[in-house]
Amino acid sequence: MENKITQTGTATMTIDGKSYDLPIMKGSMGAPGIDVRTLYKQTGHFTFDPGFTSTCSTESQITFIDGGEGQLLYRGYDIEQLAEQSTSLEVAYLLINGELPTKSEFETFENTITNHTMLHDKVESFFQGYRRDSHPMSMLCGTVGALSGFYHDDQHTTEDEARNVAIHRIIAKIPTLAARCYKYRVGQPHVYPQNDLSYAGNFLRMCFAVPAEPYEVNPIIERAMDKIFILHMDHEQNASTSTVRLAGSSGANPYACIAAGTACLWGPSHGGANEAALNMLKEIGTVDRIPEYIARAKDKNDPFRLMGFGHRVYKATDPRAKVMRRTTHEVLGELGITNPVLEVAMELEKIATSEEYFVKRGLYPNVDFYSGIVLSALGFPTDMFTVLFALARTTGWISQWNEMLEDPTQRIGRPRQLYSGATTRDFVPMDKR
Ligand code: SDX
């Protein structure tokens, strides 16, 4: 990656009467940043920013978010255009390489991915250690990390070829692994990939085909699945992507880095929100109970939050939520499914986005608000939702991991702290305490 941020000004700060100048850096879009890389050396002071609400951890050229405008771009292309006009593998190529592929470039990429979809048969033994009712995310966390035991040749992340093999293997194998988690969870035999199917179609067949009868991929479900993969593929320096980058900055095995990101994504404040949002909508149950939950969400003494609402960056509706809402209506309509939970979701969105509490705080539906409804319509159980999120986000994680390793300025990530513990003191022997 060629560094392209440039200095556009200087920030001057005064500490104890002494002035210090720090460069103001700007990229191609978005807010500028004050470059504090020399701050401690110059001033003996750190910055303090728990949760990184005002901190850029890196330069990146992959994804751009404008939270105020509700804009999301992958390599400059608008997410709604990509979701409606592209495919998940074409977008994967775009995220990794920076440009949309020509026909021959795409065919080569698709062929490479298709021929890496199988898992080493010994991966199967890792599943046998799980209880049948283990959460599928616990299986995914464990087994994607276990892949590091099978592919040591990807360790040499300083070599382009080794990194490319790791990128292709991970993108190819994560659907097979995710489907395996589902099959183990429901007690059905593992279904091997079929090379004549699309990325989304192959995944659907590996999840829903059974040996007892033929399985045909439903094109409506295949298109919706592919769109959902695109919407979830990358999202700038979110918690799980930052986890992957931090793990990768030490030179850790790429599969171990993806396992770290998977673990972080699982939390209900992050990728686990899709499961939590649908459970919340089911718990609300009927439109007349919405006011009770709105009141709870506003009550500071109640830990309840509207799952699928709010976002660290978006202070307008998450553009992915708009596409997801449209896809939900399309899929339920085309499949002839009615779901009372959708009516609750639509009414909850209408009420919440007109309430001063939510509008003042910029709390709008995010990508997780509708995804549970459409994923249920596609046939997935609730505890598989975050696995699907992780499947799609793996492409973004590995793209960001690769960009970090190609960045000539990258070093091992090592934040500091403001220490407020006990000051220096001598040890006291037990008999004197
Ligand atoms: C994802 O970062 C990403 O890009 C993530 C993601 C991705 O693609 O990688 O977009 C995926 O994680 C989407 C978010 C999914 N999470 C949820 O839907 C869980 C519910 N949302 C919240 O937990 C919360 O909104 C967060 C975690 C998403 C954001 O938290 P922040 O930025 O730390 O915001 P905050 O907690 O400081 O909240 C600001 C205010 C607070 O009130 P005040 O102290 O100002 O009075 O808003 C309130 C919060 O209490 N608030 C909510 C709320 N979310 C925030 N109140 C009720 N319901 C909510 N959902």
Side-chain angles (χ1 to χ4, degrees):
M1 168 179 128
E2 180 199 344
N3 296 119
K4 293 182 179 173
I5 57 174
T6 54
Q7 180 170 356
T8 56
T10 302
T12 302
M13 62 165 49
T14 304
I15 301 176
D16 302 332
K18 190 175 175 197
S19 286
Y20 301 90
D21 288 342
L22 292 168
I24 293 176
M25 306 302 286
K26 185 108 174 54
S28 52
M29 296 174 78
I34 298 172
D35 184 339
V36 294
R37 282 177 285 190
T38 62
L39 179 70
Y40 182 63
K41 200 171 177 183
Q42 281 192 64
T43 71
H45 287 61
F46 294 131
T47 59
F48 183 61
D49 185 17
F52 312 120
T53 49
S54 302
T55 292
C56 298
S57 59
T58 185
E59 175 183 354
S60 180
Q61 295 158 15
I62 298 176
T63 293
F64 175 75
I65 302 173
D66 181 329
E69 295 301 317
Q71 182 185 38
L72 169 56
L73 307 178
Y74 288 168
R75 299 285 191 180
Y77 295 99
D78 181 82
I79 190 68
E80 295 197 49
Q81 289 183 30
L82 291 171
E84 299 303 342
Q85 301 176 50
S86 187
T87 65
S88 51
L89 269 194
E90 185 177 54
V91 174
Y93 182 99
L94 172 68
L95 289 176
I96 296 159
N97 298 293
E99 297 297 335
L100 288 167
T102 61
K103 189 170 184 304
S104 66
E105 287 168 336
F106 180 71
E107 285 169 355
T108 304
F109 178 71
E110 184 178 42
N111 186 51
T112 303
I113 296 298
T114 301
N115 286 289
H116 278 79
T117 51
M118 286 183 69
L119 293 171
H120 191 292
D121 252 9
K122 289 301 287 175
V123 172
E124 180 54 32
S125 53
F126 285 92
F127 285 96
Q128 300 316 319
Y130 286 101
R131 284 173 34 152
R132 280 293 181 187
D133 61 353
S134 297
H135 195 290
M137 276 301 284
S138 63
M139 299 181 209
L140 192 67
C141 281
T143 50
V144 72
L147 291 183
S148 55
F150 291 83
Y151 301 111
H152 256 307
D153 50 335
D154 300 354
Q155 289 277 14
H156 311 297
T157 53
T158 51
E159 295 153 26
D160 291 356
E161 184 46 33
R163 279 212 305 281
N164 281 330
V165 170
I167 290 166
H168 294 146
R169 273 179 172 151
I170 284 175
I171 291 174
K173 294 180 192 307
I174 199 72
T176 312
L177 209 51
R180 187 73 201 86
C181 293
Y182 173 67
K183 283 306 204 186
Y184 189 84
R185 180 78 178 80
V186 295
Q188 291 179 357
H190 174 27
V191 175
Y192 284 91
Q194 194 169 291
N195 288 355
D196 61 347
L197 294 175
S198 71
Y199 194 69
N202 213 355
F203 173 65
L204 290 167
R205 182 179 170 278
M206 289 189 283
C207 286
F208 299 123
V210 288
E213 56 191 38
Y215 178 85
E216 281 296 314
V217 177
N218 177 321
I220 297 167
I221 295 180
E222 181 181 24
R223 181 69 196 116
M225 190 80 264
D226 204 55
K227 208 181 274 187
I228 290 168
F229 286 164
I230 292 170
L231 293 174
H232 288 80
M233 217 166 252
D234 193 52
H235 212 241
E236 199 213 68
Q237 304 311 316
N238 58 82
S240 53
T241 299
S242 299
T243 301
V244 171
R245 277 181 171 258
L246 198 54
S249 72
S250 74
N253 176 292
Y255 304 94
C257 294
I258 299 299
T262 304
C264 178
L265 185 77
W266 194 1
S269 288
H270 192 10
N274 51 20
E275 179 176 353
L278 186 68
N279 289 336
M280 174 192 74
L281 291 169
K282 285 178 179 172
E283 183 187 323
I284 294 173
T286 52
V287 168
D288 62 318
R289 295 186 67 205
I290 289 174
E292 171 196 338
Y293 284 83
I294 295 271
R296 284 189 58 196
K298 291 155 61 174
D299 179 357
K300 290 302 164 199
N301 300 315
D302 187 331
F304 172 77
R305 286 194 164 180
L306 282 187
M307 301 316 282
F309 258 76
H311 199 278
R312 172 61 56 78
V313 176
Y314 290 121
K315 300 310 170 192
T317 297
D318 180 337
R320 301 168 297 176
K322 290 180 190 166
V323 181
M324 199 60 85
R325 186 196 303 125
R326 221 169 27 243
T327 304
T328 303
H329 282 291
E330 284 164 7
V331 169
L332 269 63
E334 287 161 344
L335 295 178
I337 300 173
T338 55
N339 185 335
V341 163
L342 178 58
E343 186 194 352
V344 173
M346 301 289 288
E347 186 60 20
L348 176 58
E349 178 184 10
K350 196 169 89 188
I351 296 173
T353 50
S354 59
E355 285 259 339
E356 195 261 344
Y357 172 92
F358 296 91
V359 174
K360 189 174 83 169
R361 292 168 175 79
L363 303 177
Y364 293 90
N366 58 50
V367 67
D368 295 306
F369 187 62
Y370 284 98
S371 53
I373 302 170
V374 66
L375 291 175
S376 290
L378 298 184
F380 292 100
T382 310
D383 61 10
M384 269 296 289
F385 293 172
T386 310
V387 170
L388 300 174
F389 195 150
L391 187 172
R393 186 53 57 88
T394 292
T395 297
W397 287 334
I398 204 66
S399 304
Q400 298 266 355
W401 169 86
N402 187 50
E403 182 183 64
M404 176 200 60
L405 291 171
E406 287 183 338
D407 182 342
T409 65
Q410 88 91 14
R411 306 165 65 193
I412 187 167
R414 207 292 188 198
R416 300 302 304 273
Q417 62 177 12
L418 285 187
Y419 176 72
S420 59
T423 53
T424 309
R425 54 183 172 167
D426 292 327
F427 181 77
V428 178
M430 181 86 76
D431 59 2
K432 293 198 168 33
R433 288 177 204 159

